[in-house]
Amino acid sequence: MLTPVVDKKIFLLDAFALIYRAYFAFAKNPRVNSKGQNTSAAFGFTNAMIDIIQKEKPTHMAVVFDAPGGATNRMEDFAAYKANREEMPEDIRSMLEPIKEIIKAFHIPMLMLEGYEADDIIGTLAKMAEKEGFQTYMMTPDKDFGQLVSENIFIYKPGRGKDPASIMGVKEVCEKFEVNDPLQVIDVLGMWGDAVDNIPGIPGVGEKTAKKFIQQYGSMEELFKNTADLKGKMKENVENFQEQGLLSKMLATIIVDVPVPFDPIDLRLDEPDKEAVLKIFTELEFRNLAKRITGEEIIVTAAGNNVDGQLDLFGQQSLVVNQEPMTTAELKTIATENPSYHLVNTPEERSKLLDLLLQQTQVCFDTETTSLDALHADLVGIAFSWKEREGYYVAIPKEFVEAKKIVDFFEPFFSSKTIEKIAHNIKYDIQVLNRYQTKVSEPTFDTMIAHYLIQPESKQSMDFLAEYYLRYQPVSIEALIGKKGKNQGNMGDLKPEEIVDYACEDADITFQLKQIFEPEIQNLI
Amino acid sequence: MEMPLVEILRSMEFEGVAIDVEGLTNYSKELELTLVDLEKQIKSFVDFDFNVDSPKQLGDVLFDHLKISAKAKKTKTGQYATSEDILVKHEKDHEIIPMILDYRQLRKLKSTYVDPLPTLCDAVDGRIHTSYMQTVTATGRLSSNSPNLQNIPIRSARGKEIRKMFIPRNEDFKLLAADYSQIELRIIAALSDDKNMIEAFQKGYDIHAATAAKVFHVPLEEVSRDQRSSAKAVNFGIIYGQGAFGLAQNLGISRTIAKGIIDGYFEQYASIKTYMDKAVNDARENGYVETIMKRRRYLPDITSANAVVRGFAERNAINAPIQGSAADIIKLAMVAVHEAMKNTELKSKMILQVHDELVFDVHKDEIDELKALVKTAMEGAIKMVVPMEVEMEIGENWLDAH
């Protein structure tokens, strides 16, 4: 959770900004359901919304839409405002209703007012919320919002691919725009202009110059008073385009007195209407999301609306087992994949696991330890995976004798001459297990060596290979124990529950990579 | 072959190697004395104090005060350039230069090896456990760190002292070093199927003398020392795709003469020229080259428009299969040796691998048995038309075992 825990925390979502973002993220490999609908926009938006609810736990929330006609004041004054915007793609338009249904099912108010952009409504609400003692987070990737930031109002920038989500407060905004006060952002933008929104700015003045001017003069008006300081073309432009500059400043200004009511009770975040959620998710075929929110499996009809018009003879409903989201332009993560990772902590669970292990022909394992020095590392746990998106993590106690007992228990697996044991840099794991007097028998497969033979000059780290071959971004170890360096924590200090996902994910991914590398190796020989 | 190696490397890492900590400490003190003395001598050339370790200050002293060169080169940051190659160029211009080179070399030796080695000893068994990495080099060779065995200097007298510090585990043991002689030349002979070179190896001739004999058209017995040196330089240069210019620089001869030698070389070993051209072509057609065990090296730069970059890739096209095949053979040898040792009751252990050699901690009663086992395993690791030759020596330390 990035945001602090407070009594009054409100998130204001810039709907269209997030919807467009979701749509483009899936552009290269869109998510299509069995009815042939492109559900990417809805899926991405919903995912982002649910993520926020679960991660940041706001107490209040609203989703804000732009009015269809746009902002009257801006359009009146400058007809070309946002004129360069292309028409809304069909795949977004078709998802608007479903998205609204979803928001409704989650009991989250949707706000929109004729004649105003979402920015203005968000700005107004943010200021009102501040007066009522709220911490407000404006969820948008749009930098214009910088002008609204204050001690109690922040921008929450959603994560993108590798970059995690981040929060911008007064300090960050001032740093980014090189100003002393967030309101000066408007001056900067007014001078610089914005090609996306078709705000002209002052010709010849780009980001750098705009920032420089504001540092020197504090505002656009002051700049205009001091054009004597300027020379040549710049002076010409600033003097000749004063009106355009002021107009641009106005266009960039977010209105904070829109006639909308601020009703804390209405905006409170309540439990979703599970049935309604299930219904819409079933329609869109968001299987994993459904499970995440309601804990229930949805049943999707594959027949009926088939593209080739085939009707199942009995009109049966069938469980669609393989509703994977296809590879997306943005990376998959543990959040998008929703795997089944289990913590194994009791003798019965260990017994069951061993039984399962011994039935397999190939299993990937990964040790979690207290040090990179294999000769001295203590085991913290071992993860096993033999099926995509499934993993088991055996927690191992600190005390050596107790630890050895558990390792010994799995000896039949490690010494098996029929099960292929897979790992990434298996030499390390074998060396660690050697300390517990457990030998690892052939057959073995090392994904790091395998990839080395396929591409000797590439990076061989598991995280890199996961991103490259599986388009998947693993949980980083830094998320668990902090950044590299003196102050980095130690695996041994974490509780097993904190490690389960990270460890199982390692084993899971490595198992998947093995399936890719093995045939490649055969090609080489 | 890589997977069986995993266990072998693991157990070598586990075994570790003993070092003479006392010896190292003494050597460190010795070096420090020499360094202090050198420093004094260096500073005596000017009448003010300066920091010899600071390249900036040194540059000023050399080029501003002592005016060693009129056209001094400068680095990106505006300092005088004082890197080794520059100093070597001016070696004869002033007596301070060889002193500085010496000083720097000793500094490096001390800080890279002599001082750190004792700190790498394991707290419990007092041995150094170097880590072997199987997936780092582009050629397929193993690399090691903590410490990096590959970089331990082997030519300088002072560098050799470092090797002396690697010792057997106790008085009942000695060190055995087994080294493949001229493995790369043998490989190129085999890969190119050059009858002349193959014959020289099969008959057990001194390959450099034999090469000299052919290139300079003299009988084998009458090859002079200089001729042999030249031939040796060409032999090794060829493996790395060296041309007339590089050879000329290496031997301190004119380019024309160097070119003459190289032409003569290819006249005698025509198939090698063919092999080299084929290697470059293969790289162009397939995008990669292969070793005898089919290890691949991708060379995308082979089609680069930039001549320098392309040239680099072309030299790699020639060298990678050779280096890579050498790596293959050593790895196969390690597996073979390990297998052979597994079936015995030997207390001796394989402990180090570096360049073309394997090092063993051998019990004094097992010396003959181990030597025979290792020789057979290494020479038989791969069947090539050119025989592999292994040189072995026993010693009280790694230096003596050479």
Side-chain angles (χ1 to χ4, degrees):
Chain A
M1 179 147 74
L2 266 182
T3 58
V5 178
V6 291
D7 279 345
K8 294 174 169 180
K9 189 189 321 185
I10 182 166
F11 265 75
L12 299 169
L13 275 58
D14 184 351
F16 275 112
L18 296 169
I19 293 173
Y20 268 87
R21 203 165 158 275
Y23 171 71
F24 284 114
F26 285 80
K28 293 220 179 101
N29 266 301
R31 196 187 159 116
V32 181
N33 65 8
S34 69
K35 302 187 192 86
Q37 290 175 299
N38 180 338
T39 56
S40 310
F43 180 73
F45 176 83
T46 311
N47 229 342
M49 191 178 77
I50 293 176
D51 248 2
I52 289 302
I53 296 177
Q54 291 185 339
K55 255 204 284 223
E56 305 295 339
K57 304 204 204 312
T59 55
H60 297 67
M61 194 178 209
V63 179
V64 185
F65 286 83
D66 293 292
T72 7
N73 69 325
R74 296 187 186 97
M75 303 288 250
E76 273 171 11
D77 291 334
F78 186 60
Y81 179 65
K82 292 200 176 175
N84 56 337
R85 288 289 181 85
E86 282 177 17
E87 234 195 82
M88 188 185 305
E90 181 54 38
D91 287 330
I92 291 187
R93 192 187 302 277
S94 63
M95 282 293 115
L96 287 184
E97 274 317 305
I99 289 177
K100 290 186 178 157
E101 260 191 69
I102 293 174
I103 301 175
K104 211 156 126 221
F106 273 84
H107 287 150
I108 297 175
M110 284 179 279
L111 302 173
M112 180 179 73
L113 194 57
E114 204 50 52
Y116 293 99
E117 290 180 59
D119 301 15
D120 305 317
I121 302 181
I122 292 179
T124 308
L125 286 176
K127 294 294 176 189
M128 289 201 276
E130 186 175 31
K131 289 211 189 77
E132 302 285 325
F134 275 84
Q135 295 291 296
T136 306
Y137 294 90
M138 306 179 291
M139 187 161 168
T140 172
D142 194 345
K143 61 179 183 293
D144 291 13
F145 283 81
Q147 61 188 269
L148 297 168
V149 162
S150 78
E151 257 182 46
N152 304 301
I153 302 177
F154 308 89
I155 298 181
Y156 186 97
K157 258 180 85 174
R160 183 181 202 94
K162 240 190 251 177
D163 298 318
S166 61
I167 298 187
M168 290 181 79
V170 175
K171 179 161 164 286
E172 290 77 15
V173 167
C174 289
E175 262 175 34
K176 184 173 165 73
F177 284 91
E178 294 172 41
V179 296
N180 294 327
D181 184 313
L183 281 175
Q184 289 172 310
V185 168
I186 308 174
D187 294 82
V188 173
L189 291 175
M191 287 185 208
W192 174 10
D194 186 332
V196 174
D197 289 344
N198 221 20
I199 297 179
I202 297 176
V205 177
E207 184 183 355
K208 260 196 164 143
T209 319
K211 286 180 178 173
K212 203 180 82 199
F213 279 152
I214 296 306
Q215 271 173 31
Q216 221 173 341
Y217 300 107
S219 75
M220 192 185 280
E221 290 77 4
E222 279 303 305
L223 167 68
F224 291 156
K225 284 197 199 136
N226 289 291
T227 53
D229 292 345
L230 306 172
K231 309 196 268 277
K233 191 79 176 138
M234 182 61 70
K235 182 167 186 214
E236 252 184 69
N237 281 335
V238 172
E239 286 179 342
N240 293 340
F241 288 93
Q242 279 193 28
E243 217 188 284
Q244 187 169 296
L246 289 170
L247 174 68
S248 303
K249 183 170 170 176
M250 188 277 285
L251 291 175
T253 306
I254 295 180
I255 303 172
V256 292
D257 58 0
V258 174
V260 279
F262 180 77
D263 186 349
I265 299 180
D266 204 28
L267 296 166
R268 201 178 54 206
L269 186 60
D270 295 317
E271 282 298 307
D273 178 346
K274 288 215 172 135
E275 261 190 55
V277 169
L278 258 183
K279 176 165 174 294
I280 181 69
F281 280 179
T282 307
E283 252 179 61
L284 295 169
E285 292 171 25
F286 291 167
R287 237 184 120 240
N288 287 330
L289 276 181
K291 191 145 172 237
R292 240 171 110 191
I293 300 299
T294 67
E296 287 185 35
E297 300 277 347
I298 56 174
I299 297 178
V300 175
T301 334
N305 295 334
N306 262 340
V307 179
D308 50 14
Q310 267 186 339
L311 251 186
D312 184 300
L313 259 187
F314 305 100
Q316 292 276 9
Q317 288 188 340
S318 52
L319 245 182
V320 175
V321 178
N322 230 13
Q323 185 69 157
E324 332 281 58
M326 291 177 266
T327 38
T328 62
E330 264 191 28
L331 297 169
K332 298 188 270 192
T333 65
I334 195 168
T336 65
E337 295 307 284
N338 216 26
S340 290
Y341 293 154
H342 311 271
L343 173 60
V344 174
N345 225 351
T346 68
E348 300 81 46
E349 288 170 345
R350 283 194 284 271
S351 248
K352 274 205 233 150
L353 175 60
L354 184 60
D355 283 341
L356 284 175
L357 285 173
L358 293 175
Q359 292 170 30
Q360 309 303 322
T361 52
Q362 43 168 330
V363 176
C364 178
F365 76 100
D366 180 39
T367 55
E368 298 300 338
T369 65
T370 55
S371 159
L372 288 174
D373 178 3
L375 293 168
H376 298 105
D378 286 329
L379 271 176
V380 175
I382 308 180
F384 298 91
S385 169
W386 59 87
K387 197 159 124 186
E388 205 179 306
R389 279 180 281 152
E390 247 182 59
Y392 297 83
Y393 176 71
V394 177
I396 296 191
K398 273 196 186 83
E399 205 272 309
F400 188 82
V401 175
E402 288 305 309
K404 186 166 184 313
K405 283 204 199 126
I406 299 187
V407 179
D408 285 345
F409 183 77
F410 286 94
E411 202 263 343
F413 164 74
F414 287 114
S415 63
S416 158
K417 298 222 173 17
T418 53
I419 308 174
E420 188 181 21
K421 296 157 222 72
I422 307 164
H424 194 76
N425 189 15
I426 205 172
K427 172 155 63 78
Y428 173 82
D429 303 283
I430 299 181
Q431 190 78 287
V432 170
L433 288 169
N434 188 49
R435 272 190 74 218
Y436 297 79
Q437 271 106 42
T438 294
K439 301 254 174 258
V440 178
S441 298
E442 308 253 310
T444 54
F445 188 102
D446 186 334
T447 46
M448 188 166 85
I449 294 182
H451 189 258
Y452 173 68
L453 293 173
I454 296 170
Q455 275 289 0
E457 292 183 77
S458 126
K459 291 200 251 200
Q460 316 291 353
S461 80
M462 199 205 67
D463 285 4
F464 172 77
L465 297 175
E467 273 190 44
Y468 189 81
Y469 287 97
L470 302 173
R471 315 271 341 176
Y472 180 94
Q473 185 187 28
V475 174
S476 95
I477 191 168
E478 293 182 346
L480 252 63
I481 56 179
K483 278 194 180 297
K484 255 200 179 125
K486 272 206 302 218
N487 293 328
Q488 193 179 45
N490 193 298
M491 274 293 184
D493 299 329
L494 297 175
K495 295 203 235 48
E497 295 78 21
E498 295 172 281
I499 308 181
V500 183
D501 281 348
Y502 171 80
C504 285
E505 191 191 50
D506 274 0
D508 178 4
I509 297 171
T510 308
F511 181 79
Q512 294 182 44
L513 285 173
K514 189 253 183 188
Q515 313 311 314
I516 298 179
F517 295 159
E518 190 169 25
E520 289 292 319
I521 298 280
Q522 303 299 344
N523 282 341
L524 288 180
I525 305 181
Chain B
M1 125 197 65
E2 298 285 0
M3 288 314 292
L5 197 59
V6 172
E7 172 55 32
I8 298 172
L9 292 175
R10 186 209 64 76
S11 67
M12 283 167 69
E13 286 179 3
F14 185 73
E15 273 308 313
V17 62
I19 55 166
D20 183 359
V21 178
E22 206 186 312
L24 278 168
T25 324
N26 290 339
Y27 191 45
S28 178
K29 291 202 196 108
E30 216 186 280
L31 284 178
E32 191 55 44
L33 288 174
T34 317
L35 280 165
V36 166
D37 190 54
L38 266 176
E39 200 185 342
K40 256 203 240 131
Q41 287 185 48
I42 291 173
K43 289 188 185 174
S44 72
F45 285 98
V46 288
D47 53 11
F48 56 87
D49 195 18
F50 71 98
N51 182 358
V52 184
D53 290 316
S54 154
K56 182 173 189 302
Q57 293 185 35
L58 185 65
D60 289 341
V61 166
L62 290 180
F63 299 112
D64 277 341
H65 293 97
L66 297 176
K67 305 217 190 302
I68 299 222
S69 161
K71 299 183 298 168
K73 266 203 177 150
K74 288 207 174 165
T75 70
K76 259 194 281 202
T77 49
Q79 299 174 8
Y80 285 115
T82 58
S83 56
E84 191 177 336
D85 44 302
I86 301 223
L87 292 181
V88 165
K89 257 199 249 179
H90 294 297
E91 210 170 347
K92 308 229 171 64
D93 294 338
H94 196 295
E95 26 174 346
I96 197 179
I97 304 277
M99 285 186 205
I100 297 174
L101 286 167
D102 215 8
Y103 177 87
R104 284 211 177 146
Q105 201 202 60
L106 291 184
R107 257 276 167 259
K108 185 152 185 231
L109 205 68
K110 187 167 184 291
S111 63
T112 317
Y113 289 103
V114 184
D115 289 341
L117 276 178
T119 67
L120 289 173
C121 287
D122 183 84
V124 172
D125 65 13
R127 294 166 76 82
I128 288 193
H129 298 265
T130 193
S131 303
Y132 288 99
M133 280 142 354
Q134 225 173 328
T135 59
V136 168
T137 67
T139 51
R141 291 250 188 194
L142 289 174
S143 80
S144 64
N145 66 12
S146 304
N148 179 340
L149 298 172
Q150 274 79 261
N151 288 359
I152 298 181
I154 36 178
R155 276 192 227 171
S156 73
R158 298 236 185 68
K160 286 185 179 170
E161 285 290 309
I162 308 270
R163 281 208 166 196
K164 209 163 146 188
M165 304 297 165
F166 286 80
I167 55 179
R169 72 183 63 226
N170 60 42
E171 297 122 17
D172 291 334
F173 282 74
K174 307 239 187 284
L175 287 189
L176 166 69
D179 194 2
Y180 276 114
S181 332
Q182 296 129 356
I183 188 172
E184 285 144 359
L185 277 178
R186 286 167 198 264
I187 291 173
I188 200 174
L191 287 180
S192 62
D193 202 23
D194 187 283
K195 300 282 178 264
N196 284 336
M197 219 184 234
I198 294 179
E199 192 192 349
F201 278 123
Q202 279 175 342
K203 293 212 173 129
Y205 295 157
D206 172 337
I207 188 65
H208 303 306
T211 302
K214 288 218 142 49
V215 171
F216 296 111
H217 306 291
V218 296
L220 188 56
E221 316 79 51
E222 288 173 35
V223 168
S224 79
R225 214 199 205 149
D226 279 340
Q227 287 169 330
R228 188 181 178 280
S229 291
S230 298
K232 182 171 175 179
V234 190
N235 270 335
F236 284 128
I238 288 299
I239 295 172
Y240 292 95
Q242 193 186 53
F245 185 69
L247 186 66
Q249 256 203 335
N250 206 351
L251 294 176
I253 55 180
S254 85
R255 253 185 80 184
T256 340
I257 302 187
K259 185 157 189 332
I261 298 181
I262 293 181
D263 286 343
Y265 185 93
F266 283 131
E267 240 177 90
Q268 294 303 318
Y269 297 128
S271 324
I272 294 192
K273 183 85 179 61
T274 320
Y275 161 76
M276 287 167 64
D277 292 335
K278 182 170 181 298
V280 174
N281 268 330
D282 284 347
R284 252 187 231 125
E285 264 184 43
N286 305 326
Y288 64 85
V289 288
E290 272 181 352
T291 68
I292 44 186
M293 297 295 289
K294 301 266 178 276
R295 183 193 304 280
R296 284 191 193 180
R297 176 87 185 271
Y298 289 93
L299 297 170
D301 289 340
I302 199 99
T303 47
S304 167
N306 181 326
V308 174
V309 167
R310 189 177 62 239
F312 194 72
E314 285 173 0
R315 283 191 285 286
N316 263 322
I318 298 167
N319 181 255
I322 300 173
Q323 280 294 338
S325 298
D328 290 345
I329 295 177
I330 293 169
K331 287 178 173 176
L332 286 170
M334 288 171 80
V335 175
V337 167
H338 186 82
E339 280 303 300
M341 285 176 80
K342 243 189 350 192
N343 300 329
T344 67
E345 296 288 326
L346 291 173
K347 302 199 235 343
S348 311
K349 299 245 185 269
M350 184 160 57
I351 54 173
L352 299 174
Q353 194 286 308
V354 67
H355 303 310
D356 299 330
E357 74 182 88
L358 295 175
V359 181
F360 300 82
D361 212 357
V362 54
H363 190 277
K364 57 183 177 2
D365 298 335
E366 296 171 358
I367 292 180
D368 290 330
E369 190 184 342
L370 188 65
K371 274 174 95 169
L373 183 154
V374 169
K375 193 164 164 66
T376 316
M378 284 177 78
E379 284 180 354
I382 187 165
K383 289 268 165 289
M384 285 206 307
V385 60
V386 175
M388 282 289 123
E389 217 181 81
V390 176
E391 276 173 13
M392 289 190 292
E393 273 227 43
I394 298 279
E396 296 294 337
N397 59 60
W398 195 8
L399 180 64
D400 291 344
H402 246 267

